[in-house]
Amino acid sequence: MAAPAGPPARAAEAEGSEEALAAALADVPELARLLETDPYLKPYAPDFQRRYKRFCKTLNDIGENEGGIDRFSRGYESFGVHRCADGGLYCKEWVPGAEGVFLTGDFNDWNPFSYPYKRLDFGKWELYIPPKQARSVLVPHGSKLKLVIRSKSGEILYRISPWAKYVTREGSNVNYDWIHWDPEYSYKFKHSKPKKPKGLRIYESHVGISSYEGKIASYKHFTCNVLPRIKDLGYNCIQLMAIMEHAYYASFGYQITSFFAASSRYGTPEELKELVDTAHSMGITVLLDVVHSHASKNSEDGLNNFDGTESCYFHYGPRGTHVLWDSRLFAYASWEVLRFLLSNIRWWLEEYGFDGFRFDGVTSMLYHHHGIGETFSGDYHEYFGLQVDEDALTYIMLANHLVHTLYPDSITIAEDVSGMPALCSPISQGGGGFDYRLAMAIPDKWIQLLKEYKDEDWNMGNIVYTLTNRRYLEKCIAYAESHDQALVGDKTLAFWLMDAEMYTNMSVLTPFTPVIDRGIQLHKMIRLITHALGGEGYLNFMGNEFGHPEWLDFPRKGNNESYHYARRQFHLTDDDLLRYKFLNNFDRDMNKLEERCGWLSAPQAHVSEKHEDNKVIAFERASLLFVFNFHPKKSYTDYRVGTTLPGKYKIVLDSDAAEYGGHKRLDHNTEFFSEPFEHNNCPCSLLVYIPNRVALILRNVDLPN
């Protein structure tokens, strides 16, 4: 009878695992640090090893074949159309599926074949057009151009260069035109980039909807009217959406057609540069919402079928199409696609002075299934193996490496709903290299509570769990709501809380109704606890800070092309007779207190209480004591709250203050003295009065300010 093979096989397997772990630790410089932080990742050490080696190999290949990533990421300096020192034009394109390439436009009366490109190796084509007499430019600034491509099937295609710096649509035209952008005097930046904020407070913004008027607002309008508001509110960072050109306005900027062109619907490239420069003068960091996860299916003014084939920039067949977004998916392993995307990253940093990026759709990039139909339970098997698109992950690592090498103070944020481990760990640990990820479960939790539960049934422990459930040493951007919650089909928190009464009962000349009172008090509490407990950064979508009364809906056939909901009514918060000002004031003072005390850059909070019956949550962070009473009716006199820091405390922020639309039930001159009385596993405690639906922050005044 044969001897059982179980134990020796398991021993061999264990020995093999140890050998694999040792090999991974040898190859990935700081993998040991990652595994020390999260030992449960040890079985996946070979995955981190493989990812890191792929990154290194691609980086080395770029070095050997292109002279390094610095040179490789300057594709925009040669591709496209460029004026030479002698007044001539140098033109270069990658059109691998072409039999012939030509340049046409206003300059040659649209003769399609009079200026042919010369074929080079690897699908590239180039053209030099000498200057006219007296060194005058043949193609003047502002004139229209088109590429003419003869495909291998003999079809003649008119296309916009993928490297076009400016495109615009005239009148009722459906398609965009490529405009040669070469002004005699380009914008010169006057102000240096601000230092990287310790605590990131992001104002997510859309230039087009930034006016109260029913029209598309301009870069100039945003610079003059919105930047001062952002500064006054205490935000130190702007995240600009819908800047990369998109033909369909209602796509909210997520169906890109021209990756190197700043959207012309808001103004000129010089005016966008002025916006960024002015923000820098105010000490505000500016991030770009970059969309490299997919591209528009447009052909005549997009990248789709650029050379007459479906696989020029994108995967061939089903892998090249996102079925839910109806868009095309990049072939990240393609050499020229890598050049295009990495050069695009560099372009926005260097040409426009952006300070970093929020990468959209990272979940779709990371997995072959794009997150479609996946619930992501948190089982580590979901993040490794064949479902991971390691071509895309290698690109992500290269992009983060490039950004942080060029500008060490730059910031990158991942929009990833899956929770991929180590996505925000350094590349040297085998991680993705992002600085932050969006804490996407938090807004979902608030919406769920408001939709499905009565106030008295809110679970304090579940709220705290959602706000604190993040990977150790991977930083998160917390938010109660972003643009996603403001779009038609959903509601903002203010709308969930107050709904139709926002139109009738927001005047200070009328008494509080129960709905408006509840809405205003909870709106402040939800934002403060998210800000203080939810992450290492905070984000708010423009207008939501003052409880914007309406959703977002862009002009489209379904609403008769109306701009009514594609605007932000900032004038509401300027009206002293309306209660919107109270929410605005609270948002401002919350941010400015964080600036002084720095809780976002402090270690994660120590939560001492989450009392289900009392509906009280208490925690300490950055030497501040935060106390929240979510109970709809009960106020508590002499409520004992634990603290680890003995001393004298005073109130520094109180959501019940009159200037925030509260009921002014607390005396801010009161001093609270801790006692050496252990409470909730804290060595000291103090007694405080906490009215119902009130949030308090107390500061230990015995400590340095």
Side-chain angles (χ1 to χ4, degrees):
M1 186 173 178
R10 283 197 294 272
E13 183 180 335
E15 184 179 338
S17 297
E18 289 300 318
E19 290 177 0
L21 175 61
L25 290 169
D27 283 337
V28 186
E30 297 183 16
L31 180 60
R33 186 174 299 181
L34 176 67
L35 301 184
E36 183 181 349
T37 302
D38 185 355
Y40 290 103
L41 288 174
K42 281 186 179 180
Y44 307 100
D47 292 83
F48 288 107
Q49 176 191 32
R50 185 176 61 256
R51 294 172 181 184
Y52 183 76
K53 289 179 76 172
R54 283 195 62 171
F55 160 76
C56 289
K57 182 181 186 308
T58 307
L59 195 62
N60 289 336
D61 288 347
I62 290 171
E64 290 177 8
N65 295 290
E66 300 282 350
I69 196 169
D70 177 78
R71 185 175 174 184
F72 188 58
S73 61
R74 295 177 182 269
Y76 53 82
E77 292 182 352
S78 59
F79 285 86
V81 175
H82 300 272
R83 179 175 44 160
C84 303
D86 64 0
L89 280 186
Y90 178 74
C91 314
K92 187 177 180 182
E93 299 292 343
W94 178 60
V95 202
E99 284 297 319
V101 180
F102 310 85
L103 186 70
T104 189
D106 292 334
F107 75 100
N108 71 344
D109 295 324
W110 295 95
N111 183 322
F113 306 119
S114 61
Y115 284 91
Y117 283 65
K118 174 186 174 184
R119 190 196 296 266
L120 303 175
D121 293 334
F122 309 113
K124 296 170 189 171
W125 300 75
E126 71 173 1
L127 166 67
Y128 172 71
I129 304 176
K132 293 197 294 187
Q133 292 182 349
R135 299 169 66 90
S136 63
V137 177
L138 178 64
V139 180
H141 167 66
S143 59
K144 294 180 183 178
L145 294 172
K146 269 285 175 73
L147 290 173
V148 181
I149 297 170
R150 182 187 291 119
S151 72
K152 290 181 178 177
S153 65
E155 187 179 7
I156 301 299
L157 308 170
Y158 285 82
R159 295 288 188 256
I160 290 174
S161 169
W163 305 82
K165 300 173 185 174
Y166 188 70
V167 298
T168 190
R169 184 164 51 198
E170 293 185 350
S172 59
N173 290 353
V174 174
N175 295 321
Y176 274 73
D177 291 313
W178 172 17
I179 306 297
H180 181 54
W181 194 259
D182 186 23
E184 185 177 359
Y185 301 104
S186 59
Y187 185 86
K188 302 297 182 187
F189 287 90
K190 305 175 184 66
H191 306 282
S192 57
K193 291 171 174 275
K195 291 183 178 180
K196 186 176 184 177
K198 290 182 179 179
L200 203 57
R201 301 182 300 275
I202 303 172
Y203 197 78
E204 186 185 27
S205 303
H206 187 296
V207 169
I209 67 169
S210 64
S211 169
Y212 70 90
E213 298 178 76
K215 64 177 186 180
I216 298 176
S218 67
Y219 295 124
K220 280 280 190 185
H221 171 86
F222 192 93
T223 301
C224 297
N225 297 284
V226 184
L227 282 181
R229 289 183 182 274
I230 296 170
K231 177 67 174 175
D232 179 66
L233 282 166
Y235 290 93
N236 56 19
C237 180
I238 302 167
Q239 182 178 299
L240 283 179
M241 322 169 53
I243 295 297
M244 301 167 74
E245 191 60 271
H246 48 294
Y248 185 44
Y249 190 40
S251 76
F252 222 64
Y254 293 118
Q255 294 274 350
I256 306 301
T257 45
S258 289
F259 284 76
F260 285 83
S263 182
S264 60
R265 53 173 56 90
Y266 318 128
T268 68
E270 314 318 304
E271 289 165 345
L272 175 57
K273 293 173 187 177
E274 181 185 33
L275 187 163
V276 174
D277 198 25
T278 304
H280 287 168
S281 76
M282 299 176 175
I284 297 173
T285 295
V286 188
L287 306 181
L288 177 71
D289 203 344
V290 70
V291 187
H292 282 179
S293 48
H294 64 132
S296 167
K297 286 182 74 173
N298 287 20
S299 295
E300 292 196 26
D301 53 8
L303 293 182
N304 193 25
N305 294 319
F306 174 65
D307 64 351
T309 71
E310 65 171 287
S311 57
C312 182
Y313 282 90
F314 310 111
H315 288 294
Y316 177 80
R319 189 181 176 190
T321 301
H322 196 293
V323 294
L324 289 186
W325 296 345
D326 193 31
S327 54
R328 299 304 316 275
L329 298 171
F330 286 106
Y332 297 104
S334 164
W335 194 259
E336 293 303 325
V337 171
L338 273 183
R339 186 199 308 277
F340 180 78
L341 294 175
L342 291 173
S343 296
N344 191 236
I345 289 288
R346 185 167 192 156
W347 168 257
W348 293 105
L349 290 172
E350 304 225 339
E351 182 70 13
Y352 286 94
F354 281 97
D355 304 297
F357 304 95
R358 178 262 201 188
F359 280 74
D360 177 70
V362 169
T363 306
S364 177
M365 299 171 73
L366 289 174
Y367 307 98
H368 292 295
H369 54 62
H370 309 300
I372 299 172
E374 298 292 322
T375 55
F376 294 109
S377 65
D379 188 310
Y380 276 14
H381 285 92
E382 298 170 337
Y383 307 117
F384 303 96
L386 295 177
Q387 66 264 37
V388 177
D389 187 340
E390 295 195 345
D391 293 344
L393 186 54
T394 300
Y395 166 67
I396 284 170
M397 296 168 76
L398 287 167
N400 278 309
H401 170 76
L402 176 68
V403 170
H404 293 114
T405 300
L406 287 177
Y407 297 102
D409 277 349
S410 291
I411 296 165
T412 59
I413 302 170
E415 189 216 21
D416 170 42
V417 72
S418 75
M420 167 75 79
L423 188 63
C424 299
S425 296
I427 293 170
S428 57
Q429 295 181 11
F434 284 105
D435 296 298
Y436 298 87
R437 72 166 88 231
L438 292 175
M440 301 182 72
I442 295 175
D444 291 344
K445 174 56 61 178
W446 291 124
I447 295 295
Q448 181 197 25
L449 289 174
L450 293 173
K451 282 175 66 175
E452 300 177 10
Y453 295 91
K454 297 177 182 178
D455 296 8
E456 53 267 32
D457 295 332
W458 285 16
N459 185 299
M460 299 294 104
N462 188 244
I463 290 172
V464 168
Y465 174 80
T466 303
L467 289 168
T468 57
N469 181 29
R470 52 192 185 270
R471 293 187 57 77
Y472 181 56
L473 297 182
E474 291 193 50
K475 294 187 287 188
C476 284
I477 303 293
Y479 59 105
E481 52 186 340
S482 67
H483 71 271
D484 287 328
Q485 286 71 41
L487 292 169
V488 163
D490 206 336
K491 293 182 182 179
T492 63
L493 291 183
F495 234 31
W496 279 114
L497 287 162
M498 296 177 277
D499 215 296
E501 287 203 25
M502 298 188 75
Y503 296 108
T504 57
N505 297 322
M506 286 296 276
S507 171
V508 298
L509 302 178
T510 61
F512 264 132
T513 65
V515 168
I516 295 298
D517 188 15
R518 170 182 180 264
I520 285 180
Q521 310 320 326
L522 286 180
H523 195 274
K524 293 177 289 186
M525 296 179 71
I526 287 170
R527 289 180 129 60
L528 179 58
I529 197 170
T530 300
H531 202 310
L533 193 57
E536 291 70 38
Y538 176 75
L539 177 142
N540 164 67
F541 178 65
M542 64 187 306
N544 286 3
E545 71 278 2
F546 65 82
H548 199 281
E550 291 175 341
W551 54 85
L552 280 169
D553 188 13
F554 282 72
R556 53 187 174 83
K557 288 182 180 179
N559 63 13
N560 295 318
E561 303 296 336
S562 171
Y563 285 89
H564 180 76
Y565 295 109
R567 61 194 181 113
R568 297 280 90 178
Q569 300 180 63
F570 287 111
H571 62 285
L572 295 175
T573 193
D574 298 333
D575 190 335
D576 265 348
L577 296 179
L578 296 178
R579 292 189 166 107
Y580 296 102
K581 65 179 181 180
F582 298 138
L583 300 178
N584 194 78
N585 293 344
F586 185 78
D587 199 75
R588 177 197 64 215
D589 291 352
M590 173 178 69
N591 281 325
K592 294 194 172 179
L593 182 62
E594 196 288 324
E595 175 71 25
R596 294 199 303 275
C597 300
W599 64 69
L600 289 172
S601 56
Q604 191 163 329
H606 168 69
V607 180
S608 60
E609 181 164 353
K610 39 192 176 182
H611 200 292
E612 299 303 341
D613 293 331
N614 294 340
K615 302 302 175 194
V616 171
I617 295 171
F619 58 88
E620 287 180 311
R621 193 176 186 188
S623 302
L624 297 171
L625 180 57
F626 296 80
V627 187
F628 293 79
N629 177 8
F630 280 98
H631 203 287
K633 297 175 182 176
K634 291 183 182 178
S635 299
Y636 304 105
T637 304
D638 291 339
Y639 195 93
R640 187 168 293 280
V641 180
T643 178
T644 59
L645 300 169
K648 180 172 68 176
Y649 286 78
K650 293 197 73 172
I651 296 171
V652 289
L653 188 66
D654 161 24
S655 69
D656 201 43
E659 61 265 35
Y660 309 137
H663 298 286
K664 203 177 178 181
R665 289 170 285 181
L666 292 161
D667 181 359
H668 290 198
N669 293 316
T670 303
E671 295 177 337
F672 305 87
F673 294 89
S674 69
E675 308 170 73
F677 187 96
E678 185 176 343
H679 182 69
N680 286 338
N681 297 316
C682 295
C684 303
S685 59
L686 59 153
L687 299 174
V688 296
Y689 169 44
I690 37 174
N692 66 304
R693 287 196 183 126
V694 164
L696 294 177
I697 304 181
L698 300 102
R699 187 177 70 82
N700 189 324
V701 296
D702 289 342
L703 297 174
N705 193 350

